[in-house]
């Protein structure tokens, strides 16, 4: 089952991957960037809330609480900046695909419990943060034209790189424990 979730994360990463060369893809505008970034943050908030409802593992719960708090704070800052700039987020195929994939993922995770849920959630967080961080680095930050938006995205990237590292460490610790210890 774990392979299924890792494969689903890889498919999600492919769904939001944008063509490598600028000749193949249109440049995103700030409103589109805002929609993608905000959607990505909301997805992690919702996943964290689900983990807080389902997990009994103190490490997983602490990580989930961090995801909810940090991604909510970044999205609040983004919303305030967009209001200040008079920009309305413009949904894209990418933001819509992210939302659709996340709904399916939450539904799949709802069927899991105990250590199976914990491992699936943490492994998904590793894959998700890798994908989000890569998209920030290669597309969203370079395409942002407003300097304040670009600064917020760069600040978010630093925070989300720490999230990825934390998720990787947690996944490593969980892989090293026996399954009974995680229930």
């Amino acid at each position: 089952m774990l392979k299924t979730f890792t494969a689903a994360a890889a498919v999600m990463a492919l769904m939001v991957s944008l063509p490598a060369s600028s000749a193949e893809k249109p440049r995103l505008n700030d409103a589109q960037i805002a929609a993608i970034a905000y959607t990505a943050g909301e997805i992690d908030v919702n996943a964290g809330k689900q983990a807080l409802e389902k997990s009994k593992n103190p490490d997983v719960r602490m990580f989930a609480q961090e995801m909810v708090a940090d991604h909510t704070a970044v999205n609040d800052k983004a919303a305030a900046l967009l209001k200040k700039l008079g920009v309305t987020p413009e949904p894209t195929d990418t933001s819509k695909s992210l939302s659709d994939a996340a709904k399916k993922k939450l539904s799949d995770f709802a069927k899991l419990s105990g250590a199976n849920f914990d491992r699936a959630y943490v492994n998904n967080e590793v894959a998700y943060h890798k994908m989000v961080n890569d998209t920030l680095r290669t597309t969203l930050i370079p395409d942002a034209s407003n300097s304040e938006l670009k600064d917020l995205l760069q600040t978010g990237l630093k925070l989300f790189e720490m999230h990825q590292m934390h998720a990787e460490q947690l996944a490593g610790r969980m892989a090293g424990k026996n399954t009974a210890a995680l229930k």
Side-chain angles (χ1 to χ4, degrees), residues 8-110:
V11 168
M12 191 163 93
L14 288 173
M15 283 187 342
V16 299
S17 293
L18 300 170
S21 83
S22 59
E24 295 174 7
K25 71 173 174 84
R27 186 176 173 94
L28 295 170
N29 65 42
D30 287 349
Q32 294 167 326
I33 291 168
I36 293 167
Y38 190 87
T39 300
E42 272 301 297
I43 288 168
D44 219 18
V45 168
N46 292 334
K49 286 178 179 178
Q50 183 183 50
L52 289 170
E53 290 174 10
K54 293 187 68 68
S55 181
K56 298 197 183 349
N57 181 309
D59 291 334
V60 171
R61 292 181 57 76
M62 184 175 73
F63 178 79
Q65 184 59 49
E66 180 183 340
M67 295 306 100
V68 171
D70 289 354
H71 286 278
T72 298
V74 170
N75 273 3
D76 288 349
K77 287 179 185 177
L81 175 61
L82 294 175
K83 184 176 180 181
K84 173 185 163 190
L85 299 174
V87 174
T88 302
E90 182 183 319
T92 64
D93 289 342
T94 299
S95 61
K96 290 173 190 169
S97 292
L98 277 170
S99 290
D100 292 345
K103 286 176 190 166
K104 169 108 174 64
K105 180 76 61 184
L106 289 176
S107 175
D108 290 345
F109 284 178

Side-chain angles (χ1 to χ4, degrees), residues 105-180:
K105 180 76 61 184
L106 289 176
S107 175
D108 290 345
F109 284 178
K111 298 170 189 165
L112 301 174
S113 62
N116 289 331
F117 172 83
D118 292 339
R119 279 191 300 276
Y121 168 70
V122 171
N123 287 331
N124 185 68
E125 285 295 301
V126 170
Y128 188 71
H129 279 91
K130 282 181 182 178
M131 185 232 4
V132 168
N133 293 341
D134 184 55
T135 302
L136 279 164
R137 267 190 297 280
T138 62
T139 304
L140 301 184
I141 292 171
D143 282 4
S145 59
N146 179 278
S147 62
E148 289 178 274
L149 177 58
K150 191 178 287 263
D151 288 345
L152 181 61
L153 294 170
Q154 290 169 332
T155 299
L157 176 60
K158 290 175 188 166
L159 179 64
F160 305 151
E161 286 172 336
M162 290 189 305
H163 288 172
Q164 180 183 334
M165 189 173 14
H166 187 178
E168 288 168 345
Q169 291 168 348
L170 183 54
R173 287 195 311 268
M174 292 173 72
K177 289 184 177 181
N178 103 23
T179 309

